[in-house]
Every structure is written in structure tokens, then in C-alpha cells.
Amino acid sequence: MRVQEEGAGRKASLEDSVIHGASRFIPVIVVLAILLSVIPPLFNSSTPMQNWVYRALTILVVCCPTALVISVPLSFMGGSGRLSQKGIHVKGSEAVEKMAELRMVVFDKTGTLTEGNLRVKEIHGTQDFNQESILALAAAAEQLSRHQSAPQKISEFEEFPGRGVRARIGNRNLLVGNRRLMVSRGVKGVPDIRGTVVYVAYEGDYAGAIVLEDTVRPEAAEAVSGLQSQGGLRTVILTGDT
């Protein structure tokens, strides 16, 4: 609600110029109309004063910028309403106006272009750790992560936002996260696997990796293609995946 209220105050430059122009134009027209209804009768008594008043009122009606003042904000309101029907929330007329100047659209991936429901695609083990062991180690380290809801007893836990977690269970150190975390903690021999990958290290040694897979939303391809067809508009994805 706060963001929406703030956005409502940011008007488009066209809307601002129309309103400001009208605020200066209207007083001038009112003064001219008054002068037209008063001064000519003083020098031309042959024409009734009511005729000059009628002419002054005609000038007020013709020159009044009401249509312009109403139509411009109404156009932006109509555009915002149409966008809301498509599920697009726009904060103020300024945002509607700026959309005509778009050169790049930046997407989040998970939950935006994809469904956000990850599943295990592959498990890469090593000579010392099979697939079942990799899954067990990852589950053990993730117990106290905010992604889990059933914590078990562990002696130490540390979370690295955007990278992974470190846990100590018994006398053993577990490290679970992305490749950046592994490299920063000095884990050797970590392969560069494409996709959404969770790496597992045991006592400082690389143990294996779990490749996760997300489902692309059905409408994502059509939406991105439609944007790219709009006169060289560039699309970008911000994601930690390779």
C-alpha cells in the first residue's frame, strides 16, 4: 500500500506539463474574458453589454482546457487499468510513460520464468560417497536452513546467504552450497557443473553434487519472444545458475 501511494504521486511528465500549463493558462483566459465583457461597452454603447458578456462566456468555453486536463490523466488511468487486467501492477502514470522508453527487461528466474518447484535431476558422487550418501549429507546440513522446517540436533550451524550453509554434526564438518562457497572455503577438486547445482563437501573434501531442475512456465517463452520482437528490446536473466 505504501509503494502504491508513493507511486501515485509520481506523475508522468506529460501529465505534469498539462496540469501546470492549465494552471497558468486559465487565469489569463478568465482575465481576458472579464476585460472583454467590461471594456468594449465603455467605448461602444450601440452594442448591448449582454452581447459582450455572451462573447466573453464563449471565449471561456472555447479556450477552457478542461478536455485536455481530463483526457491526459484519464488516458494514463485507462492504460493502468488495462495493464491490471493482464496482471501487471504499475505504480503511477510516470511508470506507464517510461514503459514506452524501455530498452532492457531484467527477469528473475525462479518463480518468474520457472515454476519454482525444484526436483533432483542428477546426483554426482565420488569414489568415497555414493548417491545415497550425498543426499543424506545434504539433508543433514540443511536441517536448520530457513528452507527446512524439521530441525534435528547439530552442534554448529552457519548460513551464507546466496551461497549455502556450514554445519557440524558430531565431530564432522559439512559444507553444502554453490561452487562459490566451495571455492571460498578452500575445497579442492570442485567440478564446474552447469545448471542449478548443490555441492557437498565433507571434512573439507569434495564429496559430490546434486543437480536440481526447475520447470519453465508455459507462457515464459511466448512472453520473452514477444518482448524481444519490440524493436531491439533486450532481455536479461539475473540468476546464480551457470
Side-chain angles (χ1 to χ4, degrees), residues 189-201:
V190 181
D192 189 2
I193 304 173
R194 292 188 61 81
T196 303
V197 184
V198 177
Y199 294 92
V200 180

Side-chain angles (χ1 to χ4, degrees), residues 135-146:
L135 281 176
L137 290 174
E142 290 279 358
Q143 290 175 67
L144 291 183
S145 169
R146 56 175 169 238

Side-chain angles (χ1 to χ4, degrees), residues 97-194:
E97 185 179 53
K98 291 296 183 183
M99 288 175 67
E101 304 173 8
L102 282 180
R103 294 296 177 266
M104 178 185 296
V105 179
V106 181
F107 289 97
D108 174 39
K109 180 180 71 66
T110 305
T112 302
L113 297 178
T114 65
E115 298 288 354
N117 299 318
L118 298 175
R119 65 182 182 85
V120 176
K121 180 183 179 182
E122 299 173 357
I123 302 176
H124 298 268
T126 60
Q127 184 176 355
D128 297 326
F129 297 92
N130 57 25
Q131 294 184 350
E132 289 76 12
S133 299
I134 297 300
L135 281 176
L137 290 174
E142 290 279 358
Q143 290 175 67
L144 291 183
S145 169
R146 56 175 169 238
H147 300 293
Q148 300 293 328
S149 58
Q152 298 178 15
K153 188 174 181 180
I154 63 176
S155 56
E156 293 180 20
F157 181 83
E158 184 178 6
E159 188 161 4
F160 306 94
R163 293 188 293 168
V165 299
R166 181 190 68 83
R168 186 174 181 85
I169 302 178
N171 295 321
R172 306 296 184 182
N173 282 313
L174 294 178
L175 202 61
V176 177
N178 56 26
R179 194 170 187 275
R180 285 190 301 138
L181 177 63
M182 298 293 153
V183 173
S184 67
R185 304 290 291 192
V187 179
K188 304 296 184 181
V190 181
D192 189 2
I193 304 173
R194 292 188 61 81

